[in-house]
């Protein structure tokens, strides 16, 4: 089956009573224990609604097993802790989702886990490996600079050293990147973004082999970040249109990136689809589309512009929804850093991150053009 067929059909449980084509919502948290190996219980991650979406993400990510969580951070923290314990070392990129970064800096010491942060390149990640390294966590493309790392190079090296690799595939989504095909062990998602896709739910997902899933499931059952069956259903419904949405958003983003790159008021555009972008060649090898996230810097006429005067593109922090949103990373995702630290990692005050939605491309371009015309000279 191809992606759109998988998105529509994988995991769906037909309603036996009515013949309905959708998975029914199973609300019970108390189920008959007789004549069953295991009764469904939400915190056991084994209700029919959890299994339906789990199967869908597994199929979309070319994995054997999938699991849904109540947030992306639930999926990420559980996956890391399942494979890194006392005395172990973890390698992570510096440019990682803020929550993941904070989890490592504020909580790893609590579990006696050591961590090294590296630049966003396969060589820096590989060079940071020490004999105690048990887990490598990567993210590509990164937030907010869309830097790209060579997934296959890292996965191959790690496999050879028997190190577990985890990738946060939120930005690309399974439509544009399938890391398991390149040898990555565990794929995690903030389902709050493209998988949910309508900025109306919070969830996370994991996809990996059946063997790798055993520890993750076992830990998840005691940590408890499970998703309610009703939200599982909403997520399942959203995931059916994942391919249509993300392909259309990706197409829009390519055009917006080009439009901004050609615009006189824009100093720099960060988008893996642009030919002169640093990570373009690697992205071409590992992504089927370049995604719908991009960022850009205004030239120095009005560094505090911040996208004011935009009428369609909304100022909002999250991403991946059907509506286009814009936010300044310096005062949102990277606000905890000092100005100097931000400068060092390339997050200037003039940087703006765009999540491109499903609106008509002419309207998006015009919205940006009109707003940019009001930049003070
Ligand atoms: C939003 C996000 C997360 C965290 O997901 P939540 O659902 O908010 O817990 C993790 N990684 C990336 C790349 C994200 O954008």
């Amino acid at each position: 089956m191809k992606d759109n067929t998988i998105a529509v059909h994988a995991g769906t449980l037909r309603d036996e009573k009515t013949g309905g084509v959708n998975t029914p919502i199973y609300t019970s948290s108390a189920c008959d224990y007789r004549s069953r190996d295991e009764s469904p219980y939400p915190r056991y991650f084994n209700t029919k609604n959890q299994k339906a979406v789990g199967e869908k993400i597994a199929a979309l990510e070319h994995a054997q097993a999938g699991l849904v969580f109540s947030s992306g951070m639930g999926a990420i923290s559980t996956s890391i802790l399942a494979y890194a314990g006392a005395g172990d070392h973890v390698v992570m990129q510096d440019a990682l989702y803020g929550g993941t970064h904070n989890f490592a800096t504020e909580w790893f010491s609590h579990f006696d886990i050591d961590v090294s942060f590296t630049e966003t390149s396969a060589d820096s990640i590989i060079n940071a490996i020490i004999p105690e390294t048990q887990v490598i966590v990567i993210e590509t493309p990164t937030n907010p600079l869309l830097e790209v790392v060579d997934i296959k190079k890292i996965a191959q090296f790690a496999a050879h050293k028997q190190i577990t690799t985890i990738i946060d595939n939120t930005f690309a989504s399974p439509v544009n990147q399938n890391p398991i095909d390149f040898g990555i062990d565990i794929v995690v998602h903030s389902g709050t973004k493209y998988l949910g896709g309508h900025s109306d739910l919070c969830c996370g997902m994991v996809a990996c082999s059946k063997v790798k899933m055993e520890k993750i499931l076992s830990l998840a059952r005691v940590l408890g970040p499970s998703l309610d069956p009703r939200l599982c259903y909403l997520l399942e419904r959203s995931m059916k249109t994942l391919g249509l949405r993300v392909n259309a958003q990706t197409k829009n983003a390519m055009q917006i990136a080009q439009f901004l790159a050609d615009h006189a008021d824009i100093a720099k555009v960060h988008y893996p689809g642009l030919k002169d972008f640093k990570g373009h060649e690697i992205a071409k090898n590992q992504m089927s589309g370049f995604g719908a996230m991009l960022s850009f810097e205004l030239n120095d006429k009005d560094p505090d512009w911040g996208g004011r005067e935009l009428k369609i593109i909304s100022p909002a922090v999250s991403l991946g929804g059907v509506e286009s949103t814009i936010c300044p990373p310096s005062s949102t995702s990277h606000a905890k850093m000092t100005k100097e630290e931000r400068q060092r990692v390339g997050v200037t005050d003039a940087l703006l991150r765009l999540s491109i939605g499903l609106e008509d491309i002419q309207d998006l371009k015009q919205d940006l053009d009109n707003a940019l015309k009001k930049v003070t000279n």
Side-chain angles (χ1 to χ4, degrees):
M1 284 197 288
K2 294 244 184 266
D3 287 354
N4 285 325
T5 315
I6 290 172
V8 174
H9 291 289
T12 307
L13 270 176
R14 294 257 167 146
D15 181 0
E16 285 164 22
K17 290 223 170 70
T18 62
V21 295
N22 292 312
T23 306
I25 302 175
Y26 294 92
T27 57
S28 298
S29 60
C31 298
D32 190 337
Y33 58 84
R34 295 166 303 176
S35 71
R36 261 186 203 84
D37 294 341
E38 190 182 68
S39 8
Y41 183 62
R43 206 244 307 143
Y44 262 57
F45 290 70
N46 65 352
T47 64
K48 283 181 185 286
N49 291 100
Q50 287 165 316
K51 286 188 170 178
V53 278
E55 272 181 42
K56 206 186 279 293
I57 191 66
L60 285 167
E61 283 291 13
H62 310 168
Q64 292 171 339
L67 205 62
V68 64
F69 287 75
S70 55
S71 71
M73 279 313 299
I76 294 165
S77 54
T78 306
S79 300
I80 295 174
L81 287 185
Y83 287 96
D88 294 340
H89 174 254
V90 176
V91 177
M92 287 181 168
Q93 289 160 220
D94 234 334
L96 213 57
Y97 176 71
T100 313
H101 201 277
N102 290 350
F103 177 51
T105 50
E106 289 175 24
W107 288 98
F108 274 15
S109 60
H110 208 79
F111 300 96
D112 195 22
I113 300 168
D114 194 17
V115 61
S116 297
F117 288 103
T118 76
E119 280 174 24
T120 306
S121 82
D123 288 338
S124 330
I125 289 165
I126 287 167
N127 286 336
I129 293 171
I130 58 173
E132 290 76 24
T133 306
Q134 287 294 332
V135 174
I136 295 175
V137 184
I138 63 168
E139 208 173 292
T140 178
T142 64
N143 177 29
L145 295 171
L146 287 302
E147 290 172 296
V148 176
V149 281
D150 190 330
I151 299 174
K152 195 170 177 183
K153 194 166 175 183
I154 296 166
Q156 282 182 344
F157 193 87
H160 161 73
K161 298 265 180 192
Q162 297 188 323
I163 296 168
T164 300
T165 44
I166 301 178
I167 187 169
D168 185 331
N169 204 30
T170 302
F171 265 40
S173 95
V175 175
N176 286 320
Q177 185 167 274
N178 296 121
I180 286 178
D181 294 349
F182 298 106
I184 288 288
D185 294 311
I186 300 166
V187 175
V188 294
H189 280 281
S190 168
T192 313
K193 317 295 165 55
Y194 291 102
L195 301 175
H198 298 73
S199 309
D200 59 359
L201 62 85
C202 180
C203 71
M205 300 199 98
V206 172
C208 60
S209 68
K210 281 188 177 150
V211 172
K212 283 282 183 211
M213 192 60 93
E214 283 171 18
K215 274 189 167 181
I216 296 172
L217 177 61
S218 164
L219 182 60
R221 286 177 165 185
V222 291
L223 292 179
S226 58
L227 194 68
D228 178 88
R230 299 158 187 88
L231 279 183
C232 287
Y233 179 73
L234 190 58
L235 172 64
E236 185 180 340
R237 180 179 149 138
S238 295
M239 285 172 78
K240 292 183 186 188
T241 56
L242 180 72
L244 288 183
R245 284 187 280 108
V246 174
N247 282 325
Q249 287 171 260
T250 298
K251 205 170 148 208
N252 270 355
M254 184 72 226
Q255 295 198 50
I256 294 293
Q258 201 61 62
F259 166 79
L260 290 171
D262 295 341
H263 203 287
D265 289 329
I266 305 296
K268 193 164 172 49
V269 180
H270 305 263
Y271 184 66
L274 294 175
K275 286 205 176 59
D276 58 356
F277 186 70
K278 192 168 160 245
H280 179 67
E281 285 304 318
I282 300 173
K284 233 168 60 181
N285 290 331
Q286 64 192 25
M287 301 181 83
S288 46
F290 299 107
M293 296 299 300
L294 60 97
S295 58
F296 64 95
E297 285 156 63
L298 211 64
N299 63 22
D300 52 15
K301 276 185 196 161
D302 187 3
D304 299 326
W305 176 64
R308 62 175 184 268
E309 316 285 357
L310 285 167
K311 298 273 186 288
I312 294 172
I313 302 171
S314 323
V317 198
S318 197
L319 61 106
V322 293
E323 63 287 303
S324 296
T325 56
I326 190 165
C327 77
S330 61
S331 60
T332 56
S333 58
H334 291 64
K336 273 191 178 174
M337 285 185 175
T338 63
K339 198 177 165 108
E340 289 69 38
E341 278 177 315
R342 281 200 297 272
Q343 215 72 34
R344 186 177 56 77
V345 298
V347 178
T348 63
D349 290 350
L351 185 77
L352 289 165
R353 190 191 73 185
L354 268 175
S355 169
I356 298 296
L358 281 178
E359 299 92 342
D360 288 302
I361 190 70
Q362 294 84 345
D363 293 330
L364 291 177
K365 278 187 191 170
Q366 198 160 50
D367 196 27
L368 282 162
D369 205 32
N370 288 344
L372 283 167
K373 279 202 182 103
K374 292 173 188 154
V375 169
T376 42
N377 287 296

